Structure formats: structure tokens, C-alpha cells
Amino acid sequence: MAYYSGFLVGIVVLCSNIHFTVSSVTCQQLSTSNITIEAYLSVNYDVDQFEYWSSACGSLLPGCILVPNTADEVSTIIKTLQSNGEDFAVKSGGHNPNQNFSSVAGGPLINLKGFNQVLYDSSSRTAKIGAGNRWSAVVKALQSYNVTVVGGRIGHVGVGGYLVGGGLSYLSTQHGWASDSIVEAEVVLANGSIVTASETTNVDLFNVLRGGGNNFGVVTTYTLKAYPLGQIWGGTMVFTSSASVDDQILLAVRDFVEYYPDEKAAIIVTKEITIASLVEIWLIFFFYDGPTPPAGTFDNFTNIGPLVNTCKTTTYYDFVSADDALVITGEVYMITTEATTLPNATVGLEVMRSYHDYYVDMAKNNSLVAGLTATMALQPIPKILAQKSKGNGGDLLDLDDAVDRIFFEFDYSFTSILSDTRMDATVKTLFTGIRERVQAFIANGTIPDAYLPLFMNDANYQQDYWGRLRPEKLTYAQEVRDKYDPEGFFRDRTGGFKL
């Protein structure tokens, strides 16, 4: 019910704007084509709108939803858009909560769900995967071959946006970012032409698709490296929050990153605060590529004493799809990220506490926001991940292995879109405050100075993704953009992190 009420509130807010319309010239122009069109407020249209992670995205009402099944049909849509000047959006899974990134008001929404193939080629050890898949479907299809690809940690996440945003995986310390495993991509360019990007064809385009977002074209199909995978071990441990437990967990994260025990091991450490009840808990997700982790791998955490422990030997599909239950639709979500170099053991608690306490204070400062839940995820980015990334082809993020890092993901969920303005300001204050703390620690020598880019998949629309990349990578991406989209079609006509 919450999702439907939030959706209807969004409709009321949008319709109160005299500039809002659900009429679409593109939809009308394509009405006689063979492309599947979900008409405004039809049953299929409503179902697709309800599938966004954030109901704020679902409340933006496209004039219609176009569901192409071939690259030729995507090309027809792009050429039609070129002729009429309408804004549009492209959606894979709709997990990104930034409005207008995969959602649009008035213009057409291109939903890639028709691109749902998963084809494994044992001779090349690659998998051809449609951009409209969700990762749970991909993992399930490949499991019978005892292989998998580097993909989402929650199966509900869509393939398309995740891959062009970089993609952090439970397998990243073995194989790098998910985008580093792209072998080939089928891309529809701004002029409607269909091209292949690979290490031998349109190499510059291939390079910028790895972390470049939606600036260069619509990717319809990816070919990814596949890796052997059998039974895995994993699950969730739940811990209470207290001053003592918080300190132990923060230090355990720090130590895990520096003394990374095994490249087959992975964790996501999350602190969740439900503001109305002031309940604070830790949920830690554990993964090991193998039926049982070697003794001692996760002892720094298990020795703290979890209240709940669901970790067990299982299949990768069951593990990834189990986390789908954590994706709760019907709320408004906002996301942001930051990065820090890893503090040494001497100052570790001081630094980690500073970040943690600021996040807690920011959450509690918004106690009047209805239904607010605040989550902080600590994501280890050890040196070995950067090494594997470079060894597997590299990407625009271009991490070096000079230091260990932690990437933060902060999420807010709340009940009503009417709290958007306040929470937008809160998100900006949060990422600005974390950044200021990181820079202050660097300035006084408490933590090492190093390159700290933003992770696109977790970034808020108010953050400067491109400005945080290495200057040479930014310049290269701009040059490639100007070559493949000289008129700025994707820059000007759809949302995302724009060059």
C-alpha cells in the first residue's frame, strides 16, 4: 500500500506543475511501428512504473513506455527522437534512485526488458547478456554451467546501468570491477547506427563504456568473461549497536581491508538506523567463493557475537536472490557516496568513528521526516582490487594500488515525495561533510593522500562524478564523446552524470 500511496502523491505533485504533460510526440510517431508500446496508465505501463526501487522515479510519468526487442528497434527509436527533440530515458532495472536517470516525465521511456537473453559460450568462456536482465536471472541461467560473471550483489539490480557505472561485486577482489570483464558491447549511437565496441573494434568507445555511464550510446547487449563457480558460502550476520560493538565493528572493517585475508572473501558492512524507533543495528553481508571459508577468515566479526547468523554453504543464485528481499519498493530512496583512504591501526578508531558519528548525527537531525531510515555501507576497496582491475583491462575509474580504500554508500529511505527538498539538502550536507573530514585527515597527515574518485553506481546526482576522475581520463572521455555524439544528443536529452 505504501508504494501505491507514494506513487499517487507523486502524480499529484507532478500534475500540479503546468509544464508537466504525458503527451509524447515520439509515442505518436511510433504508434504504427512494430515496436511494443505500453500506453500511458495501461496495466503493463503501471507495472513497469511500480518496479523502480525509488517511488520518486516511478512518479515521473513517461508519455509511453517503448519496449524494443532488437537493436534495430532501438535505432528506430533514437532516429525518431533525433527528429523531434523530446527528452527521454533508458531503463534497465530502475535501481538507481536518482530521478531522470532512468525515468522521465512526459517523454518516452525506453525499457530494455526485451533484451533478456543469457547465452553461454563454453569455447570462449564468455556469456552474451541482454542489457535488460536483472542479475538474479543471469546468475540462474549460468549456474547450470558452473560459471558466473562479475555482476550485482543483489539480484534485483539491472544489468545495463550497473555495468556502465563500473559495478562492484562479491567477485571484484578476484576479477576487478564488473565493467572490467566486458569483452564486447553492441551499442546504438546517437545517429542511430549500430556498432560493436571491443578491444579490436571501436576501441575508444569500448574503453569509455567501462565507467562512462550513458554518455556514449544505448548498450543493448554485453559479452562478458565468465568464471568458474561452484558452491559458495555466505549470508548475513546481525549485530546490535552499542558504543562497544560499534568500535569493534569499525576496527574489524579497518583490519579486514588492510590485512585482506583471501581474495575469494568479501563483505559489505552496513549500519541501519530507523529514526522513528531509534533502533540501530549492524547488518554485515559475508561471501566466500567456496563451500567453506578457511578458518579465521571472518573471525574479527564473528568473535564480536552476532545476534543472527544466516551464513551457510549454498548456491550463488540462492545467495544473490535471497538479498532481493532487502529491496523494498514503495519508499522514496536517495543515495550518495564518498571515499576515504584507509587509516592505519594507530588512528583507525578515531578516523572511522568520525565518519560513523557524522552519519549518525545527520540521520538523527532529520527525525521529523516520516518513515526515515538511514543506512551507511562500508565497502572495502583493497589494493588487490585495483591490481585485478588493471590486470583485467582497466576502466575510467583507474584506481591505483598505492593505498587501500573504503567506499561509502549512504542511503535514505522515507515515506513521501513531499520530503524531497529537505532530504536533497540533507544528502548534500552529508556527502560534503564526509568529504571535508577526509580532506582534513589528509591535510594533517592522519590518513594518506591519494586519488579518491566517486563510484558512479552509488553517486548522488548532486555530486561531480566526472570532476573527481583523473584529468587525463576526463579529457579522453570528452574526446570520445565528441567523436560519437558530436551534437550532444545523450548529454542534452536524457539524464545521468553528464560530461
Side-chain angles (χ1 to χ4, degrees):
M1 286 298 293
Y3 188 81
Y4 284 82
S5 65
F7 182 76
L8 291 173
V9 168
I11 293 176
V12 171
V13 172
L14 287 168
C15 289
S16 67
N17 184 335
I18 60 172
H19 300 292
F20 174 75
T21 175
V22 295
S23 175
S24 167
V25 174
T26 306
C27 300
Q28 295 169 5
Q29 290 177 327
L30 292 174
S31 61
T32 58
S33 73
N34 292 324
I35 298 169
T36 299
I37 300 178
E38 297 175 356
Y40 169 61
L41 294 186
S42 65
V43 172
N44 289 336
Y45 177 106
D46 290 348
V47 169
D48 278 354
Q49 289 299 101
F50 293 153
E51 286 183 348
Y52 284 102
W53 183 38
S54 175
S55 60
C57 295
S59 69
L60 298 184
L61 303 180
C64 72
I65 299 175
L66 303 170
V67 187
N69 292 295
T70 66
D72 284 333
E73 290 185 345
V74 175
S75 173
T76 297
I77 294 169
I78 296 299
K79 289 176 180 177
T80 303
L81 285 164
Q82 282 281 14
S83 72
N84 62 36
E86 277 195 315
D87 289 344
F88 68 99
V90 181
K91 177 186 177 186
S92 173
H95 193 73
N96 191 305
N98 290 305
Q99 285 186 302
N100 296 300
F101 277 41
S102 61
S103 55
V104 63
L109 173 67
I110 305 170
N111 191 320
L112 297 178
K113 64 183 179 180
F115 293 89
N116 58 5
Q117 70 272 35
V118 182
L119 303 172
Y120 177 59
D121 182 354
S122 59
S123 62
S124 62
R125 295 184 180 179
T126 61
K128 182 169 289 188
I129 296 169
N133 277 294
R134 296 186 188 271
W135 286 108
S136 54
V138 174
V139 172
K140 185 175 184 179
L142 295 176
Q143 188 161 276
S144 61
Y145 301 101
N146 293 315
V147 299
T148 197
V149 291
V150 182
R153 296 169 297 183
I154 295 178
H156 187 266
V157 171
V159 165
Y162 171 91
L163 281 173
V164 293
L168 182 58
S169 169
Y170 287 118
L171 302 172
S172 286
T173 43
Q174 295 184 75
H175 307 297
W177 302 101
S179 63
D180 298 330
S181 287
I182 299 173
V183 173
E184 185 176 283
E186 180 183 70
V187 188
V188 181
L189 300 178
N191 62 6
S193 61
I194 303 167
V195 302
T196 296
S198 70
E199 292 181 341
T200 57
T201 305
N202 296 309
V203 179
D204 51 358
L205 177 62
F206 176 73
N207 291 337
V208 297
L209 289 178
R210 298 179 169 204
N214 63 346
N215 288 274
F216 309 98
V218 179
V219 182
T220 57
T221 306
Y222 295 92
T223 301
L224 302 177
K225 294 178 183 178
Y227 303 97
L229 188 76
Q231 285 190 313
I232 65 95
W233 178 95
T236 306
M237 297 186 195
V238 181
F239 300 79
T240 58
S241 176
S242 66
S244 174
V245 170
D246 293 349
D247 287 351
Q248 292 177 75
I249 289 177
L250 292 170
L251 287 175
V253 176
R254 197 221 72 83
D255 290 348
F256 187 88
V257 179
E258 180 173 4
Y259 308 116
Y260 211 87
D262 190 328
E263 67 182 38
K264 294 184 177 182
I267 59 171
I268 315 172
V269 179
T270 65
K271 174 74 173 287
E272 184 175 289
I273 304 174
T274 304
I275 299 301
S277 59
L278 293 180
V279 172
E280 300 182 31
I281 59 171
W282 291 91
L283 295 94
I284 305 182
F285 304 91
F286 294 89
F287 169 85
Y288 188 81
D289 181 4
T292 308
T297 304
F298 300 111
D299 281 4
N300 280 1
F301 298 98
T302 56
N303 289 343
I304 299 171
L307 289 175
V308 177
N309 182 352
T310 69
C311 295
K312 61 182 179 181
T313 302
T314 185
T315 67
Y316 193 40
Y317 170 73
D318 286 343
F319 174 69
V320 170
S321 60
D323 287 345
D324 288 354
L326 301 174
V327 180
I328 301 172
T329 56
E331 301 289 315
V332 181
Y333 285 87
M334 291 183 177
I335 194 170
T336 190
T337 187
E338 254 306 330
T340 181
T341 50
L342 190 72
N344 64 37
T346 302
V347 299
L349 185 57
E350 172 196 353
V351 173
M352 298 297 286
R353 259 290 176 187
S354 175
Y355 302 145
H356 168 275
D357 291 352
Y358 185 66
Y359 144 75
V360 171
D361 289 344
M362 286 297 301
K364 292 181 177 178
N365 286 344
N366 287 278
S367 59
L368 297 180
V369 175
L372 181 64
T373 297
T375 304
M376 174 183 69
L378 304 173
Q379 305 180 108
I381 310 293
K383 297 174 185 177
I384 191 173
L385 193 158
Q387 293 165 4
K388 293 301 178 72
S389 176
K390 287 185 178 296
N392 212 7
D395 47 73
L396 285 180
L397 212 58
D398 195 28
L399 284 185
D400 58 77
D401 63 356
V403 296
D404 296 307
R405 299 169 175 84
I406 292 176
F407 280 6
F408 300 96
E409 178 190 339
F410 298 100
D411 297 293
Y412 290 117
S413 65
F414 48 95
T415 304
S416 172
I417 198 172
L418 298 177
S419 299
D420 262 12
T421 301
R422 176 183 181 131
M423 293 309 300
D424 263 343
T426 295
V427 167
K428 186 172 184 178
T429 302
L430 175 62
F431 70 68
T432 301
I434 294 292
R435 176 69 167 165
E436 289 172 349
R437 281 157 177 76
V438 172
Q439 291 177 317
F441 284 131
I442 290 173
N444 64 25
T446 302
I447 61 175
D449 189 6
Y451 166 60
L452 291 172
L454 294 172
F455 178 39
M456 180 184 284
N457 289 148
D458 292 344
N460 184 264
Y461 76 95
Q462 300 174 94
Q463 293 182 283
D464 185 8
Y465 170 77
W466 291 101
R468 293 278 290 273
L469 291 185
R470 298 185 191 278
E472 61 272 23
K473 291 292 185 181
L474 171 60
T475 299
Y476 179 72
Q478 289 171 329
E479 292 171 350
V480 177
R481 186 272 315 273
D482 292 343
K483 174 182 175 181
Y484 289 94
D485 186 8
E487 297 180 356
F489 175 74
F490 290 105
R491 179 195 64 209
D492 299 336
R493 302 275 295 281
T494 190
F497 294 105
K498 298 304 171 189
L499 279 162

